[in-house]
Amino acid sequence: MLRIRKQGTKRDVLGFRLPMLTHEEPTLDITDITVIDPDNTYYMRMGSEAMTGYHIGLNHVLVIDRSLAPVPGSIVVFCHEGDFYTREYWPENNRLLLRADSFKETLVIEDLHHWVCWGVVTLTLNPVIHPNQRIGRYSRVCAC
């Protein structure tokens, strides 16, 4: 799990703005697009292939917001006894279904005392780098 905080850069020198910075384009920061609440946003890698039908594959990066409350149909991360489960949130009358691709991977929870909703998945990052390019410093770029 990786948590990133945005850091501002110092652009003034001795109180004056550098002339070359007057015409500078604003920097592109991917967190401006992917992160809504920086204090409650976390990143995880998907550890199983239970959600491939939802286009979430093994080792895909999940952006998780812990401040959101789950609604039926949302993709959530639940925690149980130290293990994390990414599933589709589907409450029913007296139980909670955490749906996956197959019925075998679907979790039926009757007693919620030991299960904790850890967060709601807001975005997934799907890698498109070719396996032959995953060498050197690119070896950990969304390695799937």
Side-chain angles (χ1 to χ4, degrees):
M1 184 176 354
L2 179 65
R3 186 173 184 188
I4 298 174
R5 288 191 177 252
K6 192 173 185 178
Q7 297 179 356
T9 58
K10 188 163 183 140
R11 297 187 168 254
D12 295 339
V13 176
L14 300 175
F16 298 100
R17 187 168 179 87
L18 294 173
M20 66 183 192
L21 296 179
T22 304
H23 303 289
E24 185 182 35
E25 294 285 327
T27 59
L28 177 64
D29 189 356
I30 192 69
T31 57
D32 291 340
I33 301 168
T34 59
V35 176
I36 299 166
D37 184 359
D39 292 330
N40 291 304
T41 299
Y42 293 83
Y43 301 91
M44 281 186 184
R45 283 190 191 273
M46 185 68 180
S48 71
E49 295 180 346
M51 298 293 286
T52 53
Y54 295 86
H55 305 287
I56 303 172
L58 180 66
N59 286 328
H60 285 189
V61 177
L62 308 174
V63 180
I64 302 162
D65 192 325
R66 294 200 68 190
S67 65
L68 289 175
V71 295
S74 62
I75 305 298
V76 294
V77 176
F78 262 71
C79 183
H80 178 65
E81 295 180 355
D83 294 327
F84 292 95
Y85 299 92
T86 302
R87 301 289 190 271
E88 182 183 13
Y89 180 79
W90 207 258
E92 289 187 346
N93 295 333
N94 294 326
R95 64 183 187 169
L96 174 65
L97 288 178
L98 295 177
R99 292 182 177 174
D101 277 351
S102 65
F103 185 74
K104 180 183 171 188
E105 298 281 340
T106 298
L107 303 170
V108 179
I109 302 170
E110 304 285 344
D111 183 17
L112 278 173
H113 287 97
H114 303 289
W115 290 82
V116 176
C117 181
W118 200 82
V120 176
V121 177
T122 59
L123 185 73
T124 63
L125 303 174
N126 301 329
V128 292
I129 190 168
H130 192 274
N132 292 340
Q133 293 174 319
R134 277 190 246 130
I135 55 174
R137 66 181 180 172
Y138 295 100
S139 63
R140 296 244 334 129
V141 177
C142 296
C144 310

